[in-house]
Amino acid sequence: MQGHAAHTVGAEGVEGLSMSGIEILNDAGEYYVGMHRWRHLERRQARLQMLGPDLLTNGNWVAATKTLTAAAGTPFVDTVAGDIFEATGGTGVTAGRYQIASVTSSAVVVLVSATLSAVDLANSDIAGTIEHLSVALPSDFGSIQALDMSNSLVRAMRPTTKAHLLELRSHGISLASWTFHYALSFRAATGSVGGAPVPILEIYPAPNADDPEGFTLYYRAKWRRASTDSDFVDVPEYAEPLFKQIVRAFTRGYEEEDVATMSQRLHEIENSPLYINAMRMDGHIMPDFGPIQNGAAETSLFEPSFLLPSQVAPP
């Protein structure tokens, strides 16, 4: 693919480009993934782990830095920013629920609020539970297609807004026996080098026990970024001609912007036979999803008179 980038501007090789060939390839890939809901990016079901509460029994507190440290053990090994520490005991501790601002290590976290105690506490007796309010998603996650409980006839998953999640959490409404509410969110990349924000699934209520296969997800994958010249791109054969043109358009858009902008070149591609044919081929992978669920024909099983004159009664 990098050869197409060099060829379209007459360069002797990718070394002749003012931008990295890998960078151009990844930019083109991100655009390709977002231009259509490609069926070939749909992944098999993934099981998502529910994390029950972890216990802290021997914590110490530094008020100036709002740092909570376990004297022994690793109670914060599964903790991420946004989880809740509910303080239940300890000398000088103000009981309550405290949001975790950041995780320093599996034994050290920083809280958002300093109201746990106005002074340092070093008796190693701070006790409480860590509630996990988010669920990790697959590393190649791009978007949700379907999400439900893995094994349950009575519990369900319900998408909602973050405002509603906040309302549920702040009011402490008990829904543990009925419904998990969820909303997609993002957390900042960890580490000193930063990076792209990481999608997570925020949920309510917090799970009351570990379940390695609590939720089942169908999803569409994001672009798998290339990092070396030997990496392959995740594009099916029927879409390769289209992707090559996108790579060439990005290259010319970066290298020859004075001739035509990248937007002009991409607009031409989105109205091209290559794009139309790639979408057609992609749609033909599974052209039929069966009868409409809960439609008139299906509900007519209980009352044939529900059928329209143009409909055929199901067998």
Side-chain angles (χ1 to χ4, degrees):
M1 287 296 176
Q2 292 189 79
H4 283 275
H7 175 266
T8 192
V9 292
E12 293 296 328
V14 291
E15 296 82 5
L17 301 174
S18 59
M19 291 184 62
S20 161
I22 294 291
E23 185 178 0
I24 293 174
L25 180 67
N26 285 325
D27 287 352
E30 297 286 358
Y31 181 82
Y32 167 81
V33 165
M35 71 190 305
H36 180 64
R37 295 172 64 88
W38 300 107
R39 297 295 306 277
H40 69 82
L41 291 174
E42 296 175 2
R43 297 295 183 254
R44 300 177 61 185
Q45 71 175 29
R47 296 298 177 93
L48 306 181
Q49 181 179 15
M50 292 195 308
L51 295 173
D54 291 313
L55 299 178
L56 174 69
T57 59
N58 55 9
N60 293 312
W61 170 252
V62 177
T65 58
K66 296 177 284 190
T67 301
L68 181 64
T69 303
T74 56
F76 306 117
V77 65
D78 294 319
T79 304
V80 297
D83 285 349
I84 297 295
F85 172 66
E86 182 172 7
T88 57
T91 305
V93 168
T94 302
R97 294 169 58 83
Y98 301 92
Q99 184 177 11
I100 295 172
S102 61
V103 181
T104 305
S105 71
S106 59
V108 181
V109 295
V110 177
L111 303 186
V112 172
S113 171
T115 55
L116 181 73
S117 174
V119 297
D120 293 352
L121 303 175
N123 294 323
S124 299
D125 64 351
I126 298 175
T129 58
I130 302 98
E131 295 181 0
H132 303 290
L133 299 178
S134 62
V135 176
L137 293 167
S139 59
D140 63 342
F141 171 84
S143 60
I144 296 173
Q145 287 189 284
L147 178 65
D148 209 340
M149 301 296 297
S150 296
N151 299 290
S152 178
L153 291 175
V154 296
R155 304 183 77 178
M157 301 291 292
R158 179 176 296 174
T160 189
T161 64
K162 293 175 184 175
H164 188 215
L165 272 183
L166 181 62
E167 179 184 1
L168 292 173
R169 291 172 177 176
S170 62
H171 293 174
I173 299 173
S174 177
L175 301 171
S177 61
W178 296 103
T179 303
F180 276 102
H181 288 71
Y182 70 90
L184 189 67
S185 187
F186 293 84
R187 64 172 175 82
T190 57
S192 59
V193 297
V198 179
I200 58 173
L201 203 65
E202 294 209 42
I203 61 173
Y204 182 87
N208 54 20
D210 286 353
D211 187 342
E213 298 184 347
F215 306 132
T216 299
L217 169 74
Y218 275 107
Y219 68 102
R220 184 173 284 104
K222 65 180 180 180
W223 173 254
R224 185 175 63 85
R225 298 182 68 83
S227 57
T228 68
D229 294 341
S230 60
D231 286 346
F232 288 92
V233 295
D234 295 332
V235 176
E237 293 178 350
Y238 61 80
E240 280 190 12
L242 170 65
F243 186 67
K244 290 174 182 176
Q245 288 302 311
I246 296 174
V247 171
R248 296 170 77 93
F250 265 79
T251 306
R252 283 182 174 268
Y254 286 140
E255 301 286 329
E256 299 176 353
E257 191 174 10
D258 56 324
V259 178
T261 66
M262 186 183 299
S263 295
Q264 291 172 316
R265 301 176 193 277
L266 294 174
H267 180 74
E268 181 178 343
I269 290 176
E270 292 201 13
N271 289 278
S272 69
L274 283 176
Y275 181 42
I276 295 172
N277 183 67
M279 289 194 295
R280 182 187 300 117
M281 294 291 292
D282 195 68
H284 286 172
I285 295 174
M286 186 175 177
D288 188 1
F289 294 96
I292 298 175
Q293 295 185 18
N294 301 318
E298 186 175 10
T299 56
S300 69
L301 292 173
F302 303 98
E303 178 51 65
S305 62
F306 289 167
L307 283 174
L308 298 176
S310 60
Q311 291 176 311
V312 178

